[in-house]
Amino acid sequence: MGADVTLLVNSSGSIIDVAYFDHTIDRFGVEDWPGRQWADTVTSESVDKIRSLIDECAKSGVSRPHQVNHPGPRGADLPVEYILRRIEGFPYLVAYGTDLRKFAEVQQQLIQVQFELEREYRRVRESEARYRVIYQKMDGALLVVDGETRRIIDGNAAAGQIMGVALSKLVGDTLVSQVQRDSRERLVEALAESRSLGQTRTLNVTASSNGASVELRISPYRENGKINHLVSIVPQVEEDHPMRGLTADKWGWTEAVPEAQIVIDAKGTVFSVNSRFLDMIHLLSRNLAVGRNVNNWLGASSVDMQVLSSRLRDEGEVRQFLTVVRDDLGSSRPVRLSATRIDTGGDPLYSVIVTEQGAREMPSSAQTNGVHGATSDFSELIGRVPLKELIRESADVIEKLCIEAALTQTENNRAAAADLLGLSRQSLYLKLKRYGLEDYNGRA
């Protein structure tokens, strides 16, 4: 039986002789071991293991393997795994030892590799987290699309807002299903051409969820041996709309306005905002506002904007219109609106100046209920708006409040809210879109 270290030990545990092949063991004072007690040649925590070796050998003739450490001159121990055996007719016990230094070196290398892997994994996680934050905070709307299955692998928040679909629902669905049917064949062809030719393709389509006209810029790239697509989404203006053909410079003057300003059409669709309005609603970029309905931020209810639109159509100008502004952080505060018509040669647009109310401008009388907020006093509208329109708008307010209450009770479960209201799910979705509640999260 070969061994790195062989000891002859008497029954009292004294070393009679020692043999070894690797002369690097000399520095551990092996030549001085004969004549000493075996337990005196090991470290203090190994003394009990020497006794166990001798006891087990005395009982059964052979012991189990035990690792002991012999102290070294510079603090580094010599680890040896011993098996003690009794041989018939031989006066001494024989200890066969395996030098474990080579195994310790391998273990140390494995530990070092493990530390390196952990450090690398930490760097990868930090890089991934940084990528996710930057990707989600980007102003531009981006989607990552699988080149083979055409499924959306990833996307940022701006893409979900422009397409009118929650990002969680976008990821995993096909890009083709996000556009209306008359655009799908052209989109499939553009994706195939971009992938096969390796060139960027641009396509104007209509989103299936909210009917928004968008431009898709499809750029191929290679990832893990396959070709995927990076799709940027740019909101477009309808062909017959007066905003079409107007460049961003056309609205550059809005930045010179000292108050928060927003440009809308007769339906309340946002076409331009200045940075002061973005600060007021805590929105990161214009791209997140353009194309959405102004009801998302202005008005205690949709009635406010309906009344404002009615007065603008009739009078062309409105001053000191009291309402509230809601920001993306969930808070609201009273404001005054001043709006005027912008003639563009087609359907008119409206410039709306939003001014926050100071404490002195706040009405002193408290409202008995919070249904209409700062604009709920219908008596102020008598003589300005026809009675039929007031009644219709009041019914709209009640209907919207019922929908909000149902969504709050069901914790934004749209299917359960529809059942609670006695509506079909499709009818509920139409009313959510009508009242600008697509983004309502069920919180009061």
Side-chain angles (χ1 to χ4, degrees), residues 215-441:
E215 180 185 79
L216 302 182
R217 297 173 183 171
I218 306 169
S219 302
Y221 74 97
R222 179 171 291 277
E223 178 184 13
N224 297 329
K226 60 186 296 187
I227 298 177
N228 292 334
H229 300 289
L230 185 64
V231 180
S232 63
I233 307 172
V234 181
Q236 298 295 296
V237 182
E238 298 176 1
E239 293 285 343
D240 57 348
H241 201 280
M243 279 291 291
R244 182 163 181 85
L246 298 179
T247 63
D249 294 337
K250 177 73 176 179
W251 304 102
W253 58 271
T254 61
E255 287 299 326
V257 177
E259 301 286 349
Q261 184 185 42
I262 183 169
V263 178
I264 60 175
D265 66 0
K267 297 180 180 179
T269 303
V270 177
F271 284 95
S272 176
V273 297
N274 64 4
S275 58
R276 293 166 186 81
F277 185 77
L278 295 178
D279 293 338
M280 180 177 289
I281 62 175
H282 300 108
L283 209 59
L284 292 177
S285 70
R286 292 177 175 82
N287 291 338
L288 301 180
V290 173
R292 300 178 67 187
N293 196 286
V294 72
N295 284 333
N296 287 293
W297 304 286
L298 289 180
S301 69
S302 59
V303 174
D304 292 5
M305 292 299 101
Q306 290 173 13
V307 173
L308 179 65
S309 298
S310 176
R311 291 183 57 184
L312 283 172
R313 286 194 302 268
D314 296 340
E315 305 171 16
E317 184 178 13
V318 174
R319 294 181 181 274
Q320 304 298 320
F321 186 89
L322 301 180
T323 184
V324 297
V325 63
R326 303 184 304 277
D327 59 30
D328 268 18
L329 302 179
S331 63
S332 62
R333 51 193 182 278
V335 293
R336 290 180 288 106
L337 305 183
S338 298
T340 185
R341 187 200 310 265
I342 302 176
D343 292 321
T344 59
D347 293 337
L349 298 176
Y350 301 98
S351 171
V352 182
I353 302 296
V354 185
T355 305
E356 291 193 50
Q357 287 186 257
R360 296 180 180 179
E361 301 175 280
M362 296 287 289
S364 57
S365 59
Q367 299 290 341
T368 58
N369 58 59
V371 173
H372 307 301
T375 61
S376 61
D377 191 355
F378 275 70
S379 63
E380 295 182 0
L381 303 178
I382 301 299
R384 303 180 184 178
V385 182
L387 178 60
K388 290 183 179 179
E389 187 173 349
L390 280 176
I391 295 174
R392 184 178 65 252
E393 291 168 353
S394 300
D396 289 344
V397 171
I398 295 173
E399 187 174 44
K400 180 182 178 184
L401 290 173
C402 291
I403 293 173
E404 290 177 344
L407 290 173
T408 301
Q409 292 181 26
T410 60
E411 297 182 351
N412 203 28
N413 187 322
R414 304 293 171 91
D419 292 338
L420 194 63
L421 295 168
L423 299 173
S424 66
R425 196 177 303 179
Q426 185 65 27
S427 297
L428 177 61
Y429 288 147
L430 291 175
K431 291 181 183 296
L432 291 174
K433 186 174 182 180
R434 175 184 176 186
Y435 296 122
L437 294 173
E438 297 98 329
D439 299 331
Y440 188 73
N441 59 12

Side-chain angles (χ1 to χ4, degrees), residues 159-170:
Q161 290 184 347
I162 292 177
M163 299 299 289
V165 181
L167 184 59
S168 58
K169 295 182 179 179
L170 270 179

Side-chain angles (χ1 to χ4, degrees), residues 189-230:
E189 292 177 356
L191 288 168
E193 288 180 3
S194 175
R195 187 167 184 263
S196 60
L197 301 178
Q199 299 176 353
T200 300
R201 288 289 181 264
T202 303
L203 184 68
N204 293 324
V205 298
T206 304
S208 58
S209 60
N210 58 7
S213 297
V214 297
E215 180 185 79
L216 302 182
R217 297 173 183 171
I218 306 169
S219 302
Y221 74 97
R222 179 171 291 277
E223 178 184 13
N224 297 329
K226 60 186 296 187
I227 298 177
N228 292 334
H229 300 289
L230 185 64

